[in-house]
């Protein structure tokens, strides 16, 4: 498998002098194409900062990040935004969608530019994706007329409609009940089976149990990791919970 994301010696600090926080301390990591990786660690250990750094959403103090061998932090801002838009999708804990548009238009909005001459192809693609996500039938509803889990699934559809290779998520199931959360996880698994590389930050062992690799962070550094292949769900949970309790999560 080829490496799709590579970070070399990245360091990120916030604040000045006495108030300085080292959010990432000389972190290096390589993620292979089609991996499903989850990132865990205590609050403040640098998980979100790592995700943002790998997604080109922040500046770094030191180090570099390569996506498919392309150096993210050497591009100018316009190019990085364009590169990000083409290659990456992002989902967060609380999806933000426009209340003036229905679900389908919200999903299609970021991709309109790419399909401006063929809106029907885009609509078809969006509807296929909504079916895969189990939210067909909600196309013409307002964002206030669907459940939290359906809205999150719609936001995942929006994040992947343009066909990015990598999906980043920061606590994407954090605001959901366990049934909705399982549905989101099924969707991630399906996208991963279809070739997408997934990197999720989570506090939830059940989320991490779906990943092939769980990275544990502590104090801005990678502390350890677990790799899963054929372990059953229960075994994975035991291993993850053990690690979480060692780290005091
Ligand atoms: N914009 C910022 N300004 C100042 N400090 C920040 C900023 N963003 C993050 N930090 C600090 O950097 C460290 C790492 O933060 P980060 O958000 O990456 O943690 P996290 O592991 O995602 O935590 P959580 O589980 O609570 O989301 C923390 O000490 C945090 O207070
Ligand atoms: Mg965070």
């Amino acid at each position: 498998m080829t490496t799709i994301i590579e970070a070399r010696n990245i360091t990120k600090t916030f604040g000045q002098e006495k108030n300085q926080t080292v959010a990432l301390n000389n972190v290096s990591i390589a993620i292979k194409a089609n991996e499903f990786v989850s990132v865990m660690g205590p609050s403040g250990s640098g998980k979100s900062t790592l995700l943002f750094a790998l997604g080109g959403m922040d500046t770094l103090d030191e180090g570099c990040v390569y996506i498919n061998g392309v150096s993210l932090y050497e591009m100018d801002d316009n190019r990085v935004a364009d590169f990000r838009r083409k290659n990456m999708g992002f989902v967060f804990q609380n999806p933000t969608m426009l209340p003036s548009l229905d679900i389908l238009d919200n999903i299609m909005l970021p991709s309109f530019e790419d399909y401006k001459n063929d809106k029907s192809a885009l609509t078809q693609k969006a509807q296929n994706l909504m079916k895969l996500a189990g939210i067909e039938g909600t196309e013409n509803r307002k964002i206030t007329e669907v459940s939290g889990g359906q809205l999150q699934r719609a936001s995942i559809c929006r994040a992947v409609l343009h066909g990015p290779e990598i999906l980043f998520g920061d606590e994407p199931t954090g605001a959901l009940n366990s049934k909705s959360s399982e549905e989101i996880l099924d969707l991630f698994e399906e996208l991963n089976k279809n070739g997408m590389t997934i990197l999720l930050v989570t506090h939830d062992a059940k989320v991490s149990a779906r990943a092939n690799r769980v990275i544990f962070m502590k104090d801005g550094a990678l502390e350890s990791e677990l790799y899963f292949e054929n372990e059953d769900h229960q075994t994975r949970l035991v291993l993850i919970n053990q690690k979480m309790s060692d780290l005091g999560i």
Side-chain angles (χ1 to χ4, degrees), residues 51-59 72-73 84 90 92 168:
L51 194 82
F52 278 54
L54 298 180
M57 287 189 281
D58 213 339
T59 55
L72 260 189
Y73 288 92
R84 249 192 4 232
F90 297 89
F92 300 99
F168 292 97

Side-chain angles (χ1 to χ4, degrees), residues 8-246:
R8 282 194 209 147
N9 308 102
I10 50 175
T11 293
K12 172 76 186 174
T13 53
F14 292 103
Q16 308 284 330
E17 296 175 6
K18 276 210 310 285
N19 297 320
Q20 202 174 52
T21 306
V22 183
L24 292 177
N25 188 3
N26 197 27
V27 172
S28 296
I29 186 173
I31 292 170
K32 293 192 167 66
N34 206 207
E35 272 196 286
F36 184 163
V37 179
S38 93
V39 182
M40 303 191 89
S43 181
S45 58
K47 304 179 296 294
S48 296
T49 310
L50 177 67
L51 194 82
F52 278 54
L54 298 180
M57 287 189 281
D58 213 339
T59 55
L60 300 178
D61 297 341
E62 280 172 53
C64 40
V65 174
Y66 299 89
I67 304 292
N68 283 323
V70 177
S71 179
L72 260 189
Y73 288 92
E74 281 173 63
M75 294 180 204
D76 66 44
D77 288 353
N78 285 339
R79 244 200 94 206
V80 89
D82 193 48
F83 184 85
R84 249 192 4 232
R85 214 177 60 77
K86 289 206 172 79
N87 296 280
M88 306 168 182
F90 297 89
V91 265
F92 300 99
Q93 180 164 349
N94 296 303
T96 47
M97 291 212 167
L98 296 178
S100 56
L101 300 179
D102 66 15
I103 294 285
L104 181 63
D105 280 341
N106 264 295
I107 290 174
M108 296 198 297
L109 187 64
S111 305
F112 273 147
E113 184 60 24
D114 296 337
Y115 282 81
K116 54 178 177 261
N117 300 321
D118 198 355
K119 195 173 169 209
S120 72
L122 180 63
T123 306
Q124 190 58 56
K125 236 180 127 194
Q127 284 180 318
N128 290 343
L129 200 51
M130 288 177 80
K131 195 159 183 210
L132 179 80
I135 51 167
E136 68 274 33
T138 63
E139 286 84 347
N140 302 118
R141 294 204 208 153
K142 292 188 185 146
I143 66 168
T144 50
E145 294 170 347
V146 294
S147 70
Q150 288 170 327
L151 192 65
Q152 187 60 293
R153 281 183 273 166
S155 86
I156 296 167
C157 291
R158 177 181 61 180
V160 301
L161 180 60
H162 60 296
E165 288 182 85
I166 310 166
L167 181 61
F168 292 97
D170 196 351
E171 297 280 359
T173 58
L176 302 173
N177 64 30
S178 66
K179 181 169 177 286
S180 297
S181 182
E182 292 298 323
E183 286 163 358
I184 298 285
L185 291 171
D186 291 343
L187 176 56
F188 283 130
E189 258 183 20
E190 197 62 32
L191 292 168
N192 182 242
K193 266 193 215 132
N194 291 339
M196 195 166 290
T197 306
I198 300 183
L199 185 66
L200 298 184
V201 168
T202 182
H203 284 106
D204 186 344
K206 287 206 218 75
V207 175
S208 287
R210 304 281 192 119
N212 315 121
R213 175 180 175 191
V214 188
I215 294 171
F216 294 91
M217 292 187 73
K218 192 184 172 194
D219 300 333
L222 306 187
E223 198 266 346
S224 57
E225 52 191 343
L226 292 170
Y227 281 89
F228 294 134
E229 209 175 318
N230 299 318
E231 292 82 355
D232 63 29
H233 189 71
Q234 202 49 39
T235 309
R236 292 175 182 217
L237 281 179
V238 169
L239 292 167
I240 294 163
N241 281 319
Q242 178 62 53
K243 202 67 228 175
M244 286 172 77
S245 95
D246 292 349

